[in-house]
Amino acid sequence: MTAPAAKSRIAVVTGASSGIGAATARQLAAAGYRVVLTARRKDRIEALVEELEAAGHQATAYALDVTDRAAVDEFATAFKTIGVLVNNAGGALGADPVATGDPADWRQMYETNVLGTLNVTQALLPALTASGDGTVVVVSSTAGHGTYEGGAGYVAAKHGAHVLAETLRLEIVGTPVRVIEIAPGMVRTDEFALTRFGGDEEKAANVYAGVAEPLTADDVADTITWAVTRPSHVNIDLMVIRPRAQASNTKVHREL
């Protein structure tokens, strides 16, 4: 089966206000998709839409909290068909050990990374199927494939996202929808580590200290766009992407 032209297809990107989500929206738009940008920060996604439209692309902003199921269901009514869903909304909070971790942080990470992905995927799966050639992307993390001290809450959430993608792929095999998981390692963005450490700039900077070239949001977006634009019969089940300086979640070369 030949995939429909990208210019006739819609790509929904969650968490598109910054970082990997914003970079993915830019690259999918450049590939010809009509992009729908969702995030809680309406001003951010509206500014990105203006940027994309000025470059000649088609883009729409929609303020959305993926953990609000009623809002997600209402959002989904706008679409009869879509070609691509990129589940990118998520994030990490805190780096405390299991013994002292804040249950509220764990709950929020699970709500966003797992239930948020579930909400949007369930709501849009009929439109993805109706397209005759849909793609679901789950942006997980290497945290979904290994553990590290101080990361249990985030690791548990990203393991949940990984299992969601893996199980969905089994359950919908035979339908015209692919399920792709992209699992980035160390990515330096403006907000990820800063958010994780409650705005503590020193702690956030220490995550990347001495690492010559962490991944960028564009690196991950390039991988997502490549996977999405493969021929319809090609499914990139799982791709782990790390910087060369990172061999595992706990083994990183630092030049200090």
Side-chain angles (χ1 to χ4, degrees):
M1 176 180 178
T2 302
K7 65 182 180 181
S8 69
R9 311 188 74 210
I10 295 171
V12 174
V13 182
T14 70
S17 59
S18 65
I20 293 170
T24 299
R26 290 186 179 98
Q27 293 199 28
L28 287 175
Y33 286 88
R34 293 182 289 155
V35 293
V36 178
L37 315 183
T38 78
R40 289 174 298 178
R41 294 179 293 185
K42 187 177 181 182
D43 58 329
R44 291 283 193 98
I45 53 176
E46 286 180 340
L48 182 51
V49 164
E50 289 181 8
E51 173 195 321
L52 293 173
E53 289 181 336
H57 305 309
Q58 298 181 70
T60 304
Y62 192 103
L64 183 67
D65 179 349
V66 297
T67 68
D68 183 339
R69 183 56 188 257
V72 170
D73 286 342
E74 182 180 354
F75 167 69
T77 63
F79 306 98
K80 290 184 179 179
T81 70
I82 66 170
V84 178
L85 166 62
V86 180
N87 286 297
N88 170 72
L93 294 172
D96 297 318
V98 171
T100 57
D102 185 343
D105 285 346
W106 282 56
R107 184 174 296 109
Q108 186 173 340
M109 285 187 283
Y110 190 84
E111 288 274 354
T112 306
N113 291 283
V114 185
L115 295 183
T117 297
L118 176 67
N119 287 339
V120 182
T121 301
Q122 284 185 337
L124 291 180
L125 193 56
L128 286 155
T129 305
S131 75
D133 183 32
T135 300
V136 176
V137 178
V138 174
V139 181
S140 63
S141 167
T142 54
H145 299 269
T147 61
Y148 58 93
E149 294 168 291
Y154 182 60
V155 166
K158 285 304 189 183
H159 271 71
H162 161 62
V163 169
L164 186 158
E166 191 172 56
T167 307
L168 178 64
R169 190 180 302 115
L170 293 171
E171 292 172 343
I172 65 171
V173 67
T175 72
V177 180
R178 302 181 294 185
V179 181
I180 295 169
E181 180 186 352
I182 303 295
M186 181 181 285
V187 185
R188 184 165 201 164
T189 63
D190 292 338
E191 296 186 329
F192 179 83
L194 199 61
T195 299
R196 182 169 203 167
F197 293 107
D200 189 319
E201 295 184 0
E202 183 177 357
K203 285 184 178 179
N206 285 340
V207 172
Y208 312 103
V211 180
E213 292 183 282
L215 297 177
T216 66
D218 282 333
D219 291 329
V220 181
D222 181 57
T223 302
I224 293 169
T225 303
W226 176 83
V228 165
T229 55
R230 293 311 85 205
S232 297
H233 69 287
V234 178
N235 195 103
I236 308 301
D237 282 16
L238 168 65
M239 182 175 289
V240 176
I241 172 172
R242 290 188 174 101
R244 186 172 62 187
Q246 184 183 30
S248 75
N249 289 342
T250 58
K251 183 69 172 182
V252 180
H253 177 67
R254 300 178 188 270
E255 299 176 358
L256 299 173

